[in-house]
Amino acid sequence: MVDDLPQTLRSDALDNRERILDAARALFAAEGMDVPMREIARRAGVGPATLYRRFPTKQALATEAFTEQMYACQAIVEEGLADPDPWHGLCLVIEKLCELHARSRGFTTAFTSAFPHAMDLAAMREQALTSLAELARRAKDSGRLRPDFVLDDLILMLMANGGLHATSTSARVAASRRFAALAIRAFQA
């Protein structure tokens, strides 16, 4: 009978959950995925037990924290696919993905590794990569993308973009824009 009860959270528990996710997003964005769980709990103003009750692993926390960004990533790729000029669409995707990843260092790690056991993120990542592969094929067929381009080149570019370090998010985004322009030139046929 207890199993039939709804699993809604009390308002204070829901507030704690949102504070944990906000703290995780901020810390993952600023410091990457190596931030300790205890630091996330401290920043959220909750005890470690509360954090682990809601998110038993860092993987579970990252999956929840980055779901919104994965949707943004998918929307960027879909926007690129919808462009009638596949080269322009691919350039748009590269520019926007670099900026998205520059704004959150942790998201780059989550996207490029896809946390193998986080099925929601992995499935969304695979869908985005499948769409990117289709866009790259179209851009190659148009003659504008290098014929030796492979999807791993894009992943490598995102990993390199994730390694940009700057004193502020705006400086990291500016460096990322420059890096995207250089990558686009390198990918051009």
Side-chain angles (χ1 to χ4, degrees):
M1 181 161 220
V2 173
D3 292 336
D4 295 337
L5 295 176
Q7 295 296 319
T8 57
L9 295 176
R10 296 182 328 260
S11 65
D12 62 323
L14 190 58
D15 290 344
N16 285 344
R17 183 180 186 286
E18 289 307 312
R19 284 201 322 268
I20 290 167
L21 287 170
D22 289 344
R25 286 182 191 111
L27 287 166
F28 289 155
E31 300 176 29
M33 296 301 298
D34 293 333
V35 65
M37 292 285 276
R38 284 188 171 276
E39 177 60 19
I40 294 169
R42 188 191 67 71
R43 179 77 65 93
V46 300
T50 300
L51 171 66
Y52 284 105
R53 187 177 317 112
R54 295 285 160 243
F55 305 99
T57 64
K58 188 183 285 188
Q59 180 178 313
L61 178 57
T63 298
E64 190 72 23
F66 292 130
T67 296
E68 187 176 302
Q69 287 163 310
M70 279 303 300
Y71 283 120
C73 183
Q74 281 183 314
I76 289 168
V77 174
E78 293 303 318
E79 181 182 357
L81 271 173
D83 194 309
D85 177 352
W87 173 248
H88 182 265
L90 183 64
C91 292
L92 176 112
V93 167
I94 290 170
E95 291 166 350
K96 287 188 172 190
L97 283 181
C98 281
E99 183 168 339
L100 177 68
H101 286 245
R103 292 187 183 282
S104 177
R105 292 175 51 205
F107 181 59
T108 301
T109 303
F111 184 82
T112 57
S113 70
F115 285 103
H117 303 294
M119 298 315 279
D120 291 344
L121 273 187
M124 292 173 83
R125 175 185 180 265
E126 287 308 310
Q127 182 180 355
L129 290 175
T130 299
S131 296
L132 276 169
E134 171 61 20
L135 183 57
R137 183 195 61 73
R138 289 184 199 169
K140 276 185 190 179
D141 290 348
S142 77
R144 306 275 312 273
L145 178 62
R146 300 171 59 116
D148 62 343
F149 176 88
V150 293
L151 202 53
D152 286 345
D153 295 338
L154 189 63
I155 298 298
L156 183 62
M157 182 213 59
L158 289 174
M159 291 169 73
N161 185 67
L164 295 174
H165 293 282
T167 55
S168 69
T169 301
S170 62
R172 195 167 51 245
V173 167
S176 177
R177 287 183 181 138
R178 175 74 176 138
F179 181 73
L182 293 170
I184 289 167
R185 276 197 234 148
F187 293 154
Q188 191 170 15

